[in-house]
Amino acid sequence: MDSTNNTPNMRLNQMLERLKESDFRITPQRYAVLHVLANSPDHPSVESIHAELLDNYPTMSLATVYKTINLLKQEGEILELEFSDLSNRYDGKKPYPHPHVICTKCGKITDPSQLNLEEITNKMMEETGFKIVSHRLDFYGICPNCLE
Amino acid sequence: MDSTNNTPNMRLNQMLERLKESDFRITPQRYAVLHVLANSPDHPSVESIHAELLDNYPTMSLATVYKTINLLKQEGEILELEFSDLSNRYDGKKPYPHPHVICTKCGKITDPSQLNLEEITNKMMEETGFKIVSHRLDFYGICPNCLE
DNA sequence: TTTCGTGCAAAAGCTTTGCATTAGC
DNA sequence: GCTAATGCAAAGCTTTTGCACGAAA
């Protein structure tokens, strides 16, 4: 269990607090998007968040989801996984870099247990002279379901 | 020095051989794109490859560069680094997964010395049940030039 | 000569933006 | 009441596709 993410509501509250502190308004639409991001066990796309919310918020626009996502990105409250050939995916539960295992058939994304990349990151900084601030480690393959 | 990539020409010849074996024609345009990919020390984009070739091939179209890149991808002869917010970048010298260090200011991409991820990959397979076939490890930061 | 590749222009897909309306605070 | 957020539609970008012409084997 992650100390920064004991329960979904705790994570939701953290996000809400961050927005309030930065003087952003908490609208029903924003609250709803945050709620999905704080509770999704998988890594939703903008499209899937929008689709999920349409039932309860029939006027919710895709633009609002995009704008909320960008706000959270800017505030460092979500992690964005970029894909050029399909839509991006987001992790609101663990907004810091961590490894992912991605099924290249169905798109399922799971988080394996934490790997410590600190030592490797330090080596990279020494070797390249970069000031490294983030990383991305993805394993691509076929998930157990798709293997059957 | 990499055993599969002793000289640029060796890499170019490997690519040419692969296309010939698969019964693709070697046109001047394809040769030119392969030449750039086999010789670029950085990780070019489709746009930059096209721009570089326009001098000597004034009729070279962006579509042809894209089509050649897709051909090489399909043949496993280049590695694609996907970015959703800017254009993709390609590595023709080392077409297999390996770590990259990426400057988030100027976009420079460099290859640090090889890290062995085999052990970690095996652990991932055991833990998740995935059949892992590839990976992506990127470190993001500010390069020495941009730090000044 | 037949088949494949090129290049143009149009289309596609995701994301952002402009702007008038609406709603937090 | 003031200012910021929403939602619609249009625009922007990268990448793909259709198709007629031209070139490789």
Side-chain angles (χ1 to χ4, degrees), chain A residues 3 9 41 51 73 79 89 91 94 103 129 132-135 147:
Chain A
S3 66
N9 276 345
K73 234 164 69 183
L79 182 72
R89 306 279 292 270
D91 192 333
K94 303 200 288 183
C103 180
I132 292 173
V133 296
S134 183
H135 68 257
L147 277 174

Side-chain angles (χ1 to χ4, degrees), chain A residues 63-133:
Chain A
T64 295
V65 182
Y66 273 110
K67 284 168 186 167
T68 304
I69 292 272
N70 281 335
L71 198 58
L72 291 169
K73 234 164 69 183
Q74 166 192 316
E75 296 287 315
E77 290 294 324
I78 49 169
L79 182 72
E80 180 180 64
L81 297 178
E82 294 183 280
F83 300 96
S84 71
D85 59 339
L86 40 87
S87 44
N88 292 343
R89 306 279 292 270
Y90 297 90
D91 192 333
K93 302 184 117 179
K94 303 200 288 183
Y96 44 86
H98 58 276
H100 295 93
V101 183
I102 300 169
C103 180
T104 53
K105 198 168 173 191
C106 71
K108 181 185 169 67
I109 301 180
T110 59
D111 290 1
S113 64
Q114 190 68 6
L115 282 173
N116 191 355
L117 283 171
E118 211 173 320
E119 201 183 322
I120 298 176
T121 301
N122 287 335
K123 267 192 208 155
M124 289 296 111
M125 290 201 269
E126 277 175 36
E127 184 183 335
T128 62
F130 272 61
K131 178 184 162 67
I132 292 173
V133 296

Side-chain angles (χ1 to χ4, degrees), chain A residues 1-62:
Chain A
M1 187 65 68
D2 198 301
S3 66
T4 61
N5 189 22
N6 294 333
T7 70
N9 276 345
M10 177 176 261
R11 183 71 196 107
L12 175 58
N13 288 336
Q14 285 175 347
M15 290 174 155
L16 290 169
E17 277 313 307
R18 173 63 62 97
L19 292 193
K20 280 183 213 163
E21 277 167 23
S22 300
D23 287 325
F24 291 111
R25 294 178 184 169
I26 308 301
T27 64
Q29 290 92 333
R30 283 189 179 156
Y31 186 94
V33 172
L34 267 60
H35 190 267
V36 171
L37 284 165
N39 287 282
S40 292
D42 50 0
H43 298 66
S45 64
V46 167
E47 191 64 43
S48 75
I49 294 171
H50 181 242
E52 182 175 341
L53 293 176
L54 268 188
D55 286 341
N56 293 321
Y57 304 80
T59 68
M60 171 81 68
S61 74
L62 213 43

